[in-house]
Amino acid sequence: MADAPPRLAAELETADVVAAEDTRRLRRLTQALGIHTTGRVVSYFEGNESARTPELVEALTGGARVLLVTDAGMPSVSDPGYRLVAAAVEHGIKVTAVPGPSAVLTALALSGLPVDRFCFEGFLPRKAGERLGKLREVGDERRTMVFFEAPHRLDDTLAAMAEVFGADRRAAVCRELTKTYEEVKRGPLGELAAWAAEGVRGEITVVVEGAADSGAEGLDAEELVRRVQVREEAGERRKEAIAAVAADAGLPKREVFDAVVAAKNAARTGPADGKGLS
């Protein structure tokens, strides 16, 4: 509770409307902070977020000060809030935030992994095949990656990461950050998967080391084309995929473009020995 900034207490006491992911948790929070809300309290969670957003926007356009709070994380980061922020911005309403604990940044800082460049991937798909597909999409990502995961899926996720990224890839599993039973477990993905198989509880953030930077050296045309295809299959337009692959490899976009065109032509006509590129 000591991590709650004084400004949060002041906002809770003076807001005209408090939209809470869980109103019972909100009551426990205000009791712990020794304060009372004076405004109207409404629930705002995944199940009613779409329906309640227009009501809150109407209150905002009428001049009310609305405070959005979520249970154990930064609003709109894998928590309710994005729809309301987007709608408020669309209506020209001022939006600000009370800085507080964020699992993404806290886990990154505690992981012991490079923090100069990182990306947040949120929750992976629940189905095994889709989860593997998503991990393969980011298999060449060189930035440190941050994921959220449910405790009952952690062992399967870590095993899938070890399969795609390699069992020796460094990672950190951060549990219950800023809470009473905070724990950080660091090690290779293979070891972490075996550890998680025994069962892990709490809210989980996983930080994974990025792929080794091989640079342009050793990347032949076939590998460049493969990387472009992976990004296209993930939904990127070809132009964007080529630009991203070129940037990652430290190559001119024209070189990657030429490799893709050459592969396309080879697939269409086939080489003289009858072997084609699919």
mmCIF file of all heavy atoms in Angstrom, residues 158-189:
data_model
loop_
_atom_site.group_PDB
_atom_site.id
_atom_site.type_symbol
_atom_site.label_atom_id
_atom_site.label_comp_id
_atom_site.label_asym_id
_atom_site.label_seq_id
_atom_site.Cartn_x
_atom_site.Cartn_y
_atom_site.Cartn_z
ATOM 1 N N LEU A 158 6.334 -21.242 -20.805
ATOM 2 C CA LEU A 158 7.796 -21.289 -20.703
ATOM 3 C C LEU A 158 8.375 -22.435 -21.528
ATOM 4 O O LEU A 158 9.435 -22.295 -22.153
ATOM 5 C CB LEU A 158 8.219 -21.423 -19.240
ATOM 6 C CG LEU A 158 7.980 -20.198 -18.364
ATOM 7 C CD1 LEU A 158 8.261 -20.511 -16.908
ATOM 8 C CD2 LEU A 158 8.844 -19.020 -18.821
ATOM 9 N N ALA A 159 7.666 -23.578 -21.561
ATOM 10 C CA ALA A 159 8.117 -24.706 -22.382
ATOM 11 C C ALA A 159 8.075 -24.331 -23.862
ATOM 12 O O ALA A 159 8.992 -24.662 -24.632
ATOM 13 C CB ALA A 159 7.247 -25.930 -22.114
ATOM 14 N N ALA A 160 7.019 -23.622 -24.279
ATOM 15 C CA ALA A 160 6.915 -23.181 -25.668
ATOM 16 C C ALA A 160 8.002 -22.164 -25.995
ATOM 17 O O ALA A 160 8.593 -22.191 -27.089
ATOM 18 C CB ALA A 160 5.533 -22.576 -25.921
ATOM 19 N N MET A 161 8.296 -21.277 -25.067
ATOM 20 C CA MET A 161 9.367 -20.305 -25.278
ATOM 21 C C MET A 161 10.713 -21.000 -25.420
ATOM 22 O O MET A 161 11.539 -20.634 -26.276
ATOM 23 C CB MET A 161 9.413 -19.313 -24.110
ATOM 24 C CG MET A 161 8.275 -18.310 -24.094
ATOM 25 S SD MET A 161 8.378 -17.209 -22.644
ATOM 26 C CE MET A 161 7.107 -16.005 -23.050
ATOM 27 N N ALA A 162 10.941 -22.012 -24.582
ATOM 28 C CA ALA A 162 12.196 -22.762 -24.669
ATOM 29 C C ALA A 162 12.315 -23.468 -26.019
ATOM 30 O O ALA A 162 13.404 -23.556 -26.606
ATOM 31 C CB ALA A 162 12.274 -23.773 -23.527
ATOM 32 N N GLU A 163 11.178 -23.955 -26.525
ATOM 33 C CA GLU A 163 11.174 -24.634 -27.829
ATOM 34 C C GLU A 163 11.491 -23.663 -28.969
ATOM 35 O O GLU A 163 12.262 -23.987 -29.870
ATOM 36 C CB GLU A 163 9.813 -25.288 -28.063
ATOM 37 C CG GLU A 163 9.675 -25.964 -29.428
ATOM 38 C CD GLU A 163 8.286 -26.522 -29.669
ATOM 39 O OE1 GLU A 163 7.542 -26.727 -28.675
ATOM 40 O OE2 GLU A 163 7.929 -26.752 -30.853
ATOM 41 N N VAL A 164 10.891 -22.477 -28.933
ATOM 42 C CA VAL A 164 11.050 -21.519 -30.023
ATOM 43 C C VAL A 164 12.332 -20.702 -29.887
ATOM 44 O O VAL A 164 13.085 -20.526 -30.857
ATOM 45 C CB VAL A 164 9.834 -20.573 -30.088
ATOM 46 C CG1 VAL A 164 10.050 -19.496 -31.147
ATOM 47 C CG2 VAL A 164 8.560 -21.363 -30.396
ATOM 48 N N PHE A 165 12.595 -20.186 -28.684
ATOM 49 C CA PHE A 165 13.741 -19.299 -28.481
ATOM 50 C C PHE A 165 15.027 -20.057 -28.151
ATOM 51 O O PHE A 165 16.122 -19.510 -28.296
ATOM 52 C CB PHE A 165 13.462 -18.312 -27.341
ATOM 53 C CG PHE A 165 12.271 -17.419 -27.566
ATOM 54 C CD1 PHE A 165 11.510 -16.993 -26.501
ATOM 55 C CD2 PHE A 165 11.920 -16.983 -28.837
ATOM 56 C CE1 PHE A 165 10.424 -16.154 -26.669
ATOM 57 C CE2 PHE A 165 10.825 -16.156 -29.042
ATOM 58 C CZ PHE A 165 10.074 -15.743 -27.947
ATOM 59 N N GLY A 166 14.877 -21.291 -27.666
ATOM 60 C CA GLY A 166 16.030 -22.060 -27.214
ATOM 61 C C GLY A 166 16.032 -22.176 -25.706
ATOM 62 O O GLY A 166 15.742 -21.196 -25.000
ATOM 63 N N ALA A 167 16.350 -23.367 -25.197
ATOM 64 C CA ALA A 167 16.304 -23.616 -23.755
ATOM 65 C C ALA A 167 17.315 -22.783 -22.981
ATOM 66 O O ALA A 167 17.158 -22.570 -21.776
ATOM 67 C CB ALA A 167 16.530 -25.099 -23.475
ATOM 68 N N ASP A 168 18.355 -22.303 -23.674
ATOM 69 C CA ASP A 168 19.403 -21.536 -22.986
ATOM 70 C C ASP A 168 19.141 -20.029 -22.969
ATOM 71 O O ASP A 168 19.910 -19.277 -22.360
ATOM 72 C CB ASP A 168 20.762 -21.792 -23.645
ATOM 73 C CG ASP A 168 21.221 -23.235 -23.482
ATOM 74 O OD1 ASP A 168 20.848 -23.854 -22.459
ATOM 75 O OD2 ASP A 168 21.946 -23.743 -24.361
ATOM 76 N N ARG A 169 18.075 -19.569 -23.624
ATOM 77 C CA ARG A 169 17.785 -18.123 -23.649
ATOM 78 C C ARG A 169 17.478 -17.640 -22.231
ATOM 79 O O ARG A 169 16.651 -18.222 -21.522
ATOM 80 C CB ARG A 169 16.599 -17.848 -24.578
ATOM 81 C CG ARG A 169 16.196 -16.386 -24.714
ATOM 82 C CD ARG A 169 17.045 -15.629 -25.693
ATOM 83 N NE ARG A 169 16.762 -16.056 -27.062
ATOM 84 C CZ ARG A 169 15.832 -15.500 -27.850
ATOM 85 N NH1 ARG A 169 15.124 -14.471 -27.396
ATOM 86 N NH2 ARG A 169 15.650 -15.930 -29.077
ATOM 87 N N ARG A 170 18.105 -16.559 -21.810
ATOM 88 C CA ARG A 170 17.915 -16.048 -20.455
ATOM 89 C C ARG A 170 16.540 -15.404 -20.292
ATOM 90 O O ARG A 170 16.017 -14.778 -21.220
ATOM 91 C CB ARG A 170 18.991 -15.022 -20.109
ATOM 92 C CG ARG A 170 20.393 -15.585 -20.012
ATOM 93 C CD ARG A 170 21.347 -14.525 -19.476
ATOM 94 N NE ARG A 170 21.388 -13.347 -20.340
ATOM 95 C CZ ARG A 170 21.885 -12.169 -19.958
ATOM 96 N NH1 ARG A 170 22.348 -12.009 -18.724
ATOM 97 N NH2 ARG A 170 21.907 -11.145 -20.798
ATOM 98 N N ALA A 171 15.972 -15.557 -19.109
ATOM 99 C CA ALA A 171 14.653 -15.006 -18.835
ATOM 100 C C ALA A 171 14.492 -14.782 -17.338
ATOM 101 O O ALA A 171 15.328 -15.208 -16.526
ATOM 102 C CB ALA A 171 13.555 -15.927 -19.359
ATOM 103 N N ALA A 172 13.411 -14.113 -16.980
ATOM 104 C CA ALA A 172 13.068 -13.904 -15.573
ATOM 105 C C ALA A 172 11.560 -14.000 -15.422
ATOM 106 O O ALA A 172 10.813 -13.434 -16.224
ATOM 107 C CB ALA A 172 13.570 -12.548 -15.089
ATOM 108 N N VAL A 173 11.119 -14.733 -14.421
ATOM 109 C CA VAL A 173 9.700 -14.822 -14.094
ATOM 110 C C VAL A 173 9.474 -13.985 -12.843
ATOM 111 O O VAL A 173 10.064 -14.252 -11.787
ATOM 112 C CB VAL A 173 9.261 -16.272 -13.844
ATOM 113 C CG1 VAL A 173 7.793 -16.314 -13.409
ATOM 114 C CG2 VAL A 173 9.459 -17.120 -15.094
ATOM 115 N N CYS A 174 8.646 -12.962 -12.961
ATOM 116 C CA CYS A 174 8.400 -12.044 -11.851
ATOM 117 C C CYS A 174 6.971 -12.250 -11.355
ATOM 118 O O CYS A 174 6.020 -12.143 -12.126
ATOM 119 C CB CYS A 174 8.604 -10.601 -12.313
ATOM 120 S SG CYS A 174 10.222 -10.301 -13.080
ATOM 121 N N ARG A 175 6.852 -12.520 -10.074
ATOM 122 C CA ARG A 175 5.554 -12.888 -9.499
ATOM 123 C C ARG A 175 5.156 -11.902 -8.407
ATOM 124 O O ARG A 175 5.962 -11.512 -7.579
ATOM 125 C CB ARG A 175 5.668 -14.299 -8.907
ATOM 126 C CG ARG A 175 4.388 -14.910 -8.413
ATOM 127 C CD ARG A 175 4.632 -16.330 -7.935
ATOM 128 N NE ARG A 175 5.344 -16.343 -6.661
ATOM 129 C CZ ARG A 175 4.751 -16.257 -5.460
ATOM 130 N NH1 ARG A 175 3.429 -16.147 -5.390
ATOM 131 N NH2 ARG A 175 5.459 -16.265 -4.355
ATOM 132 N N GLU A 176 3.866 -11.470 -8.453
ATOM 133 C CA GLU A 176 3.305 -10.633 -7.396
ATOM 134 C C GLU A 176 4.148 -9.376 -7.161
ATOM 135 O O GLU A 176 4.476 -9.028 -6.012
ATOM 136 C CB GLU A 176 3.188 -11.431 -6.092
ATOM 137 C CG GLU A 176 2.171 -12.547 -6.136
ATOM 138 C CD GLU A 176 0.735 -12.011 -6.180
ATOM 139 O OE1 GLU A 176 0.159 -11.718 -5.115
ATOM 140 O OE2 GLU A 176 0.189 -11.887 -7.295
ATOM 141 N N LEU A 177 4.490 -8.670 -8.219
ATOM 142 C CA LEU A 177 5.350 -7.496 -8.100
ATOM 143 C C LEU A 177 4.724 -6.402 -7.226
ATOM 144 O O LEU A 177 3.543 -6.107 -7.346
ATOM 145 C CB LEU A 177 5.663 -6.945 -9.486
ATOM 146 C CG LEU A 177 6.584 -7.829 -10.336
ATOM 147 C CD1 LEU A 177 6.716 -7.279 -11.746
ATOM 148 C CD2 LEU A 177 7.951 -7.978 -9.695
ATOM 149 N N THR A 178 5.522 -5.837 -6.366
ATOM 150 C CA THR A 178 5.177 -4.786 -5.395
ATOM 151 C C THR A 178 4.173 -5.262 -4.343
ATOM 152 O O THR A 178 3.620 -4.454 -3.607
ATOM 153 C CB THR A 178 4.641 -3.488 -6.052
ATOM 154 O OG1 THR A 178 3.289 -3.679 -6.478
ATOM 155 C CG2 THR A 178 5.501 -3.047 -7.222
ATOM 156 N N LYS A 179 3.960 -6.574 -4.256
ATOM 157 C CA LYS A 179 3.018 -7.106 -3.269
ATOM 158 C C LYS A 179 3.773 -7.861 -2.175
ATOM 159 O O LYS A 179 4.996 -8.006 -2.212
ATOM 160 C CB LYS A 179 1.997 -8.017 -3.946
ATOM 161 C CG LYS A 179 1.158 -7.300 -4.999
ATOM 162 C CD LYS A 179 0.181 -8.278 -5.630
ATOM 163 C CE LYS A 179 -0.575 -7.626 -6.769
ATOM 164 N NZ LYS A 179 -1.474 -8.569 -7.445
ATOM 165 N N THR A 180 3.036 -8.397 -1.233
ATOM 166 C CA THR A 180 3.631 -9.046 -0.066
ATOM 167 C C THR A 180 4.549 -10.209 -0.443
ATOM 168 O O THR A 180 5.631 -10.374 0.130
ATOM 169 C CB THR A 180 2.521 -9.563 0.876
ATOM 170 O OG1 THR A 180 1.683 -8.466 1.237
ATOM 171 C CG2 THR A 180 3.118 -10.179 2.133
ATOM 172 N N TYR A 181 4.135 -11.020 -1.415
ATOM 173 C CA TYR A 181 4.896 -12.228 -1.751
ATOM 174 C C TYR A 181 5.657 -12.081 -3.067
ATOM 175 O O TYR A 181 5.763 -13.017 -3.857
ATOM 176 C CB TYR A 181 3.947 -13.436 -1.806
ATOM 177 C CG TYR A 181 3.270 -13.695 -0.477
ATOM 178 C CD1 TYR A 181 1.934 -13.345 -0.284
ATOM 179 C CD2 TYR A 181 3.977 -14.241 0.588
ATOM 180 C CE1 TYR A 181 1.313 -13.554 0.945
ATOM 181 C CE2 TYR A 181 3.370 -14.461 1.813
ATOM 182 C CZ TYR A 181 2.040 -14.114 1.990
ATOM 183 O OH TYR A 181 1.450 -14.316 3.204
ATOM 184 N N GLU A 182 6.203 -10.897 -3.297
ATOM 185 C CA GLU A 182 6.980 -10.659 -4.519
ATOM 186 C C GLU A 182 8.129 -11.650 -4.630
ATOM 187 O O GLU A 182 8.825 -11.944 -3.658
ATOM 188 C CB GLU A 182 7.526 -9.229 -4.508
ATOM 189 C CG GLU A 182 8.405 -8.901 -5.689
ATOM 190 C CD GLU A 182 8.908 -7.469 -5.663
ATOM 191 O OE1 GLU A 182 8.098 -6.558 -5.890
ATOM 192 O OE2 GLU A 182 10.116 -7.255 -5.396
ATOM 193 N N GLU A 183 8.318 -12.168 -5.846
ATOM 194 C CA GLU A 183 9.397 -13.124 -6.105
ATOM 195 C C GLU A 183 9.874 -12.966 -7.545
ATOM 196 O O GLU A 183 9.073 -12.777 -8.455
ATOM 197 C CB GLU A 183 8.905 -14.564 -5.891
ATOM 198 C CG GLU A 183 9.961 -15.621 -6.173
ATOM 199 C CD GLU A 183 9.430 -17.047 -6.045
ATOM 200 O OE1 GLU A 183 8.183 -17.218 -6.102
ATOM 201 O OE2 GLU A 183 10.236 -17.970 -5.900
ATOM 202 N N VAL A 184 11.185 -13.041 -7.764
ATOM 203 C CA VAL A 184 11.765 -13.005 -9.105
ATOM 204 C C VAL A 184 12.650 -14.228 -9.267
ATOM 205 O O VAL A 184 13.574 -14.444 -8.482
ATOM 206 C CB VAL A 184 12.585 -11.721 -9.340
ATOM 207 C CG1 VAL A 184 13.179 -11.739 -10.746
ATOM 208 C CG2 VAL A 184 11.728 -10.479 -9.137
ATOM 209 N N LYS A 185 12.342 -15.030 -10.259
ATOM 210 C CA LYS A 185 13.109 -16.243 -10.550
ATOM 211 C C LYS A 185 13.808 -16.048 -11.890
ATOM 212 O O LYS A 185 13.155 -15.851 -12.920
ATOM 213 C CB LYS A 185 12.159 -17.450 -10.621
ATOM 214 C CG LYS A 185 12.865 -18.789 -10.734
ATOM 215 C CD LYS A 185 13.437 -19.231 -9.414
ATOM 216 C CE LYS A 185 13.977 -20.667 -9.488
ATOM 217 N NZ LYS A 185 14.565 -21.092 -8.198
ATOM 218 N N ARG A 186 15.140 -16.090 -11.889
ATOM 219 C CA ARG A 186 15.923 -15.857 -13.108
ATOM 220 C C ARG A 186 16.635 -17.129 -13.533
ATOM 221 O O ARG A 186 17.001 -17.941 -12.697
ATOM 222 C CB ARG A 186 16.945 -14.745 -12.872
ATOM 223 C CG ARG A 186 16.363 -13.437 -12.361
ATOM 224 C CD ARG A 186 17.457 -12.430 -12.046
ATOM 225 N NE ARG A 186 16.931 -11.187 -11.458
ATOM 226 C CZ ARG A 186 16.701 -11.026 -10.160
ATOM 227 N NH1 ARG A 186 16.962 -12.022 -9.311
ATOM 228 N NH2 ARG A 186 16.215 -9.888 -9.700
ATOM 229 N N GLY A 187 16.846 -17.277 -14.844
ATOM 230 C CA GLY A 187 17.569 -18.431 -15.337
ATOM 231 C C GLY A 187 17.267 -18.703 -16.791
ATOM 232 O O GLY A 187 16.470 -17.980 -17.421
ATOM 233 N N PRO A 188 17.851 -19.760 -17.370
ATOM 234 C CA PRO A 188 17.533 -20.140 -18.756
ATOM 235 C C PRO A 188 16.085 -20.613 -18.858
ATOM 236 O O PRO A 188 15.521 -21.133 -17.885
ATOM 237 C CB PRO A 188 18.515 -21.290 -19.032
ATOM 238 C CG PRO A 188 19.560 -21.193 -17.970
ATOM 239 C CD PRO A 188 18.893 -20.624 -16.772
ATOM 240 N N LEU A 189 15.495 -20.443 -20.018
ATOM 241 C CA LEU A 189 14.086 -20.815 -20.200
ATOM 242 C C LEU A 189 13.823 -22.279 -19.857
ATOM 243 O O LEU A 189 12.779 -22.611 -19.290
ATOM 244 C CB LEU A 189 13.652 -20.520 -21.635
ATOM 245 C CG LEU A 189 13.317 -19.059 -21.945
ATOM 246 C CD1 LEU A 189 13.174 -18.848 -23.445
ATOM 247 C CD2 LEU A 189 12.045 -18.630 -21.225
#
